[in-house]
Amino acid sequence: VQHQLQKKMHRVYKYRVLILLASLISIASLGINFYFLKPNESDVQYITMQTNAGMRTNFTLPDGTDVYLNSGTKLTYPVWFDTDERRVELNGEGYFKVTHDAKRPFIVNIADKAFELEVLGTEFNMQAYATDEFVNTILVKGSVRLAMETTSGIRKTVVLEPSQKANYN
């Protein structure tokens, strides 16, 4: 009887070891597939919303942020936002009511990439037409951090508080 019990325990032990090995191999193969199949920057698909002259539009981004675009404005954003940040590119004028997400900052770039706005609060207006000399930002609620790169390559930052306006040439 004891010999039969030992045989049975040995089979149960082998079965558990095989299940453990199969689980480890499955987890390892999933990890390897995820590493090699994760999307590259070039694989990201973008959506461009553009308003015609004399028209205005409003819509909601995938993260729940409400966007109001003025006439002749173009906004480009990814179909799905990254896990680290929510980055959009603006050429024109837009009013943003940003959905709060402390783990993923909302960042607005203008076309020449020398000016970047990181949202620390919720509502702001930004005017950055390619034909204008100035970039104007007016903060309504919360706070925003402006990061500007000078012609000499020095990066400066400014934090706006509600009802403040920043002009960047």
Side-chain angles (χ1 to χ4, degrees), residues 3-19:
H3 181 64
Q4 289 294 333
L5 285 174
Q6 284 180 343
K7 271 183 151 178
K8 196 172 194 175
M9 291 302 288
H10 187 63
R11 270 188 270 150
V12 169
Y13 176 73
K14 280 184 180 178
Y15 181 71
R16 286 182 180 172
V17 168
L18 286 174
I19 288 176

Side-chain angles (χ1 to χ4, degrees), residues 95-111:
Y95 183 84
F96 297 84
K97 289 183 180 179
V98 179
T99 300
H100 180 72
D101 187 346
K103 294 179 183 176
R104 297 183 312 155
F106 189 86
I107 299 170
V108 179
N109 280 63
I110 61 167

Side-chain angles (χ1 to χ4, degrees), residues 1 19 24-25 28 32 53-55 58-59 61 66 70 91 118 121 131 139 143 155 160 163:
V1 173
I19 288 176
L24 290 174
I25 289 170
I32 289 169
M55 303 295 287
N58 67 308
F59 58 97
L61 294 174
D66 292 325
N70 204 353
N91 181 353
E118 180 180 348
T131 56
L139 183 64
S143 63
R155 197 156 178 86
L160 293 183
S163 300

Side-chain angles (χ1 to χ4, degrees), residues 3-74:
H3 181 64
Q4 289 294 333
L5 285 174
Q6 284 180 343
K7 271 183 151 178
K8 196 172 194 175
M9 291 302 288
H10 187 63
R11 270 188 270 150
V12 169
Y13 176 73
K14 280 184 180 178
Y15 181 71
R16 286 182 180 172
V17 168
L18 286 174
I19 288 176
L20 179 64
L21 286 174
S23 299
L24 290 174
I25 289 170
S26 297
I27 291 170
S29 66
L30 284 173
I32 289 169
N33 283 338
F34 178 74
Y35 178 77
F36 286 110
L37 297 178
K38 69 180 180 181
N40 297 329
E41 182 67 29
S42 60
D43 295 340
V44 177
Q45 294 180 344
Y46 291 91
I47 295 173
T48 299
M49 292 295 289
Q50 189 165 357
T51 57
N52 295 328
M55 303 295 287
R56 292 182 182 165
T57 188
N58 67 308
F59 58 97
T60 303
L61 294 174
D63 69 336
T65 297
D66 292 325
V67 179
Y68 301 84
L69 298 181
N70 204 353
S71 174
T73 298
K74 183 168 114 177

Side-chain angles (χ1 to χ4, degrees), residues 110-129:
I110 61 167
D112 66 1
K113 309 277 190 216
F115 185 90
E116 179 179 282
L117 180 134
E118 180 180 348
V119 178
L120 307 172
T122 54
E123 293 184 36
F124 65 95
N125 187 72
M126 186 172 195
Q127 184 178 354
Y129 287 98

